[in-house]
Amino acid sequence: MSEPAASPEPTASPEPTASPEPTASPEPVASPEPAAPRPESTRTGPGRLLVAVYGLFALSASARAVVQIATKFSHAPVAYLLSAFAGAVYILATVTLTNGSPTARRIAVLSCSVEFAGVLAVGTWSLLDRATFPDATVWSGYGSGYGFVPLVLPVFGLLWLRYWARRAGTRRTVVPAPGDAGEAAEAADAGADVKSV
């Protein structure tokens, strides 16, 4: 008598797989405002020439003042100290115009304004009281010894900085396109729905 066929061993039912956890959608990211690409600083374009001239005056005025103060300070102390002050103003203007950040531009406006006031004040003083200026400074006679460049340089600097201030104001008033605003709102709504589930 034949043995009954062995019944197949019962196979373990597969373990129920855990349903995948819902993944949170990434946080909505606001679309960037459309803005025209801009140069990195005020030293671009005509600003390069302006920075170069300021750098030249910073070097020449500072070096001249250091030599005069070190070798013959008692001869004309007022003139030499004013030359050193002019050199410091030129250095500050050169650095801030080269940097071009909003804070640097504000400092550059201040330095150019001080420079312009200094040229006018020292220029007038040197003409009215020649005994105090036996040696000329950079700003003596309104910069006549330098072709009156010290008189016009701060004017060009202030005009260039004003142009940059207007550019910055124009960029701040740019409004995103209506489509971009709608997409940002839809993304925010989708994010709120996922969090509420």
Side-chain angles (χ1 to χ4, degrees):
M1 181 172 164
S2 64
E3 293 183 2
S7 62
E9 293 183 7
T11 57
S13 61
E15 294 182 7
T17 56
S19 60
E21 295 181 5
T23 57
S25 63
E27 292 290 326
V29 179
S31 59
E33 293 184 2
R38 66 179 183 87
E40 290 299 319
S41 73
T42 49
R43 70 177 179 272
T44 57
R48 290 180 183 175
L49 177 61
L50 191 65
V51 168
V53 175
Y54 264 107
L56 180 64
F57 271 85
L59 181 62
S60 62
S62 301
R64 175 181 177 180
V66 167
V67 171
Q68 289 172 330
I69 290 172
T71 58
K72 49 181 183 176
F73 179 71
S74 59
H75 180 63
V78 173
Y80 300 154
L81 289 174
L82 286 173
S83 288
F85 176 72
V89 171
Y90 286 130
I91 290 171
L92 182 62
T94 303
V95 170
T96 52
L97 285 169
T98 301
N99 183 292
S101 68
T103 301
R105 288 199 299 270
R106 286 192 288 272
I107 297 172
V109 168
L110 179 62
S111 64
C112 289
S113 301
V114 168
E115 176 192 354
F116 188 58
V119 172
L120 295 177
V122 173
T124 304
W125 186 9
S126 65
L127 294 176
L128 297 177
D129 185 10
R130 295 182 184 276
T132 307
F133 295 90
D135 279 354
T137 70
V138 179
W139 293 342
S140 294
Y142 307 107
S144 59
Y146 293 86
F148 295 99
V149 173
L151 181 62
V152 298
L153 188 59
V155 175
F156 282 117
L158 290 169
L159 290 174
W160 181 241
L161 291 164
R162 184 179 179 189
Y163 164 77
W164 268 85
R166 286 183 175 176
R167 280 184 59 134
T170 302
R171 285 194 303 274
R172 280 195 294 268
T173 57
V174 172
V175 179
D180 293 340
E183 290 173 6
E186 289 174 7
D189 290 342
D193 291 343
V194 168
K195 288 179 181 177
S196 63
V197 170

